[in-house]
Amino acid sequence: MAIWLTDSVSRLTIQQARLLEAFADLAAVAIQRAELAEEALNTEILQATEKLQTALLNSISHDLRTPLVSVIGVLSSLQEEEMNLDDAARRNLIQVAREEADRLNHLIANLLDVSRIEAGAIRISRQPSEVQDLVGTALEQMSGRSDNRPTTIDIPASLPFVSIDFGLIIQVLINILDNAFKYSPSGSPVEISGRQVARQVEIEIADRGVGIPSQDLQRIFNKFYRVQRPDNVAGTGLGLAICKGIVEAHGGRIAAENRPGGGTVIRFTLPVAEASLTDREGKNEHR
């Protein structure tokens, strides 16, 4: 705080000096209180962050340890000569180990993908692609996890190509389909549809599961967020967060809602390939 006097002769009166000191003291107290409040807030944020990191670490450690323990248990059983396992039992144990190893690999891949998305290191190699090819490839890769449930596909042949990274969007479809299969009853249908909305294509995947509580609909795309369910289905809460990062990196949007009559709908949009737009505009002009 500084005081500028109009001339060298002027002096502050005693009352003015005391008033100035009172202002200075009050200003100092206000500044100190603001600094202390900021420090307290930073401390609170740090504590909350540490708690969150601890919780996430515990969750990830559990999810990593569970399949690893299963694989080690199977290998130990196969190594024990006293077990006297027949061929069928051995095949069954090997199948269990393979499934748990795949689960572990999937978890690690998800963690790496989240890290890439957050670091902005995800690279998109766009190419014009057919939505029918995308859905067909994703369903083929999911064939072992679909429980042979009925899947209906409604994608018009006239739907334009989309400008995407084929491998990344396949991953989006697989993550959404995996959720649809895990959180809906075996034998219940899953419906996949597509339609054009302006200069984008909207893809929709709908199931007949238990749905999502309304307060969780906006949060399921957050990293590590999981809806609390009594069935306690295994998962890390990373799949939809990865979908959101990939779709938004393509310039699209993704959202979830509950279906009338029960179930969940996940919709996301992808940009139409410029070649498709040019062809359509040319046909319209020709007509």
Side-chain angles (χ1 to χ4, degrees):
M1 182 178 290
I3 299 298
W4 179 69
L5 300 176
T6 55
D7 57 75
S8 58
V9 180
S10 300
R11 292 288 184 271
L12 293 176
T13 65
I14 296 177
Q15 290 82 0
Q16 290 174 326
R18 288 176 179 174
L19 182 60
L20 182 61
E21 289 177 359
F23 281 145
D25 289 341
L26 289 172
V29 170
I31 293 171
Q32 188 175 29
R33 287 183 61 186
E35 290 178 345
L36 290 174
E38 185 177 359
E39 290 178 5
L41 179 60
N42 290 336
T43 302
E44 184 178 348
I45 293 173
L46 181 60
Q47 290 175 346
T49 302
E50 289 177 349
K51 285 183 180 179
L52 178 60
Q53 289 175 342
T54 301
L56 295 179
L57 182 59
N58 290 338
S59 174
I60 294 172
S61 299
H62 177 268
D63 290 321
L64 288 171
R65 190 184 301 114
T66 301
L68 192 57
V69 168
S70 298
V71 172
I72 293 173
V74 168
L75 294 177
S76 299
S77 299
L78 293 173
Q79 196 175 29
E80 292 285 342
E81 296 181 359
E82 300 84 20
M83 294 287 291
N84 295 322
L85 299 171
D86 57 26
D87 290 342
R90 286 180 178 275
R91 285 195 298 270
N92 185 50
L93 285 174
I94 292 172
Q95 179 64 25
V96 170
R98 173 64 185 272
E99 291 174 356
E100 292 299 317
D102 286 342
R103 178 181 162 194
L104 185 62
N105 181 60
H106 182 66
L107 171 60
I108 294 173
N110 277 348
L111 290 171
L112 292 175
D113 287 337
V114 166
S115 298
R116 287 171 55 213
I117 290 171
E118 290 188 339
I122 185 170
R123 295 183 179 179
I124 298 177
S125 178
R126 293 180 182 270
Q127 58 182 352
S129 304
E130 281 190 309
V131 176
Q132 291 175 328
D133 286 346
L134 283 167
V135 173
T137 303
L139 287 173
E140 183 178 354
Q141 294 187 23
M142 290 292 296
S143 59
R145 289 180 272 176
S146 64
D147 297 329
N148 295 319
R149 70 179 64 210
T151 303
T152 61
I153 302 174
D154 180 16
I155 298 176
S158 60
L159 204 62
F161 282 33
V162 287
S163 177
I164 57 162
D165 186 304
F166 194 88
L168 290 177
I169 299 303
I170 288 295
Q171 185 176 357
V172 170
L173 286 168
I174 287 176
N175 286 354
I176 297 174
L177 286 169
D178 188 48
N179 279 352
F181 295 150
K182 284 195 301 186
Y183 297 111
S184 60
S186 179
S188 63
V190 171
E191 302 164 19
I192 306 172
S193 60
R195 64 191 183 105
Q196 184 175 1
V197 181
R199 299 173 69 90
Q200 292 190 320
V201 167
E202 181 181 81
I203 300 175
E204 176 181 296
I205 300 174
D207 62 52
R208 283 298 180 187
V210 296
I212 300 171
S214 57
Q215 67 270 18
D216 294 319
L217 282 172
Q218 300 300 322
R219 305 171 68 184
I220 60 172
F221 296 100
N222 294 345
K223 185 177 62 174
F224 295 109
Y225 186 81
R226 296 191 64 206
V227 178
Q228 298 300 317
R229 300 182 185 275
D231 48 15
N232 197 28
V233 177
T236 58
L238 291 174
L240 290 180
I242 292 171
C243 292
K244 183 175 185 289
I246 292 174
V247 168
E248 290 183 350
H250 280 79
R253 303 179 309 278
I254 188 168
E257 67 179 48
N258 288 314
R259 298 182 72 183
T264 303
V265 179
I266 303 288
R267 294 189 184 93
F268 64 94
T269 60
L270 299 170
V272 172
E274 289 298 324
S276 296
L277 291 172
T278 303
D279 290 344
R280 178 162 295 187
E281 290 170 357
K283 290 178 181 178
N284 290 337
E285 289 178 1
H286 180 69
R287 289 175 185 175

